[in-house]
Amino acid sequence: MIDRRALIAAALAAPPLALAGRAAAAPVTLSKPCVISTWDFGVAANQAAWAVLSKGGSALDAVEAGARVPEADLKNHSVGRAGYPDRDGHVTLDASIMDAAGNCGAVAGLEHIAHPISVARRVMERTPHVLLVGDGALQFALEQGFPREDLLTPESRQAWQDWLKTAKYKPAANSEVDTYGKGAGGAANHDTIGMLALDAKGDLAGACTTSGMAWKLRGRVGDSPIVGAGLYVDGAVGAATSTGVGEEVIRNVGSFLVVELMRQGRSPQEACEAAVARILARKPETKDLQVGFLALNTKGEVGAWSIQRGFSYAMADVGKQDRLLPGGSVY
Ligand code: GLY
């Protein structure tokens, strides 16, 4: 059993760190194959991905299998079928997937389909396009045989109706943890699972899936389905994914930035720290928000860093499949 309280207590005991001049943390290195994911719910997702990787399966199959776990989890109000809706009561899902060769697919604002990550993969593999949105994404999913469902669960409906009483929109840091398993009245409003895998052949792949910010404006799209923002993979270098307030990630093309910094020689940890520093430097008020990056290079080195404390990430390789660590943070 993972003692999450002890992990987070250890993270909270650390003093706030100055942004400038802080040395990068020592990198964690996993053996091949391996998979890493954002947040506590990444543990269960990793185990599904590990079932693929440990049998010699591809990183692409692994991240799709893993991402489907939180998408199906009725306790998860930030991803998939139990995700909180927009302010008009519509559950709209965003997802992207990418392989080592640069093939990618994504859907944004997809309604009524519980597994947007699998629709994103079909966009990648069965269309000449990269991103389908809204009604077009739904039409494509239905044509591909995905079942149409009502995704607004009774708990999500109640949480939305509670929110309507005040209708205040303020993204809350770390709500992936705070709303997990909570029923109606869960305070807040984002986010995402990002998964990165390296398979036995040495190929990388990534997946990112979310219901986005709860109570968002209808039509709002975050970073998760935007290749380069919420997810980026370069098979020769590494892969990165993000979580948190998507607008800030899009403004800085965050995951592409992390991968490009790795290409220039930075470790995944150094690259994640530099990307967070870029966001803060360009817009200092982002210090009150949460953005986190997770990165994995072709050597199995891992990086994780966020603006606020409370970010967690999960790892699996042959040694252990249920590791959960607190990510380092600026504040
Ligand atoms: N990071 C997820 C979102 O902003 O929608």
Side-chain angles (χ1 to χ4, degrees), residues 94 190-192 210 212-213 220-224 242-247:
D94 299 338
H190 61 97
D191 188 294
T192 308
T210 186
M213 299 290 207
R220 179 265 186 191
V221 172
D223 55 324
S224 303
S242 61
T243 183
V245 180
E247 282 76 1

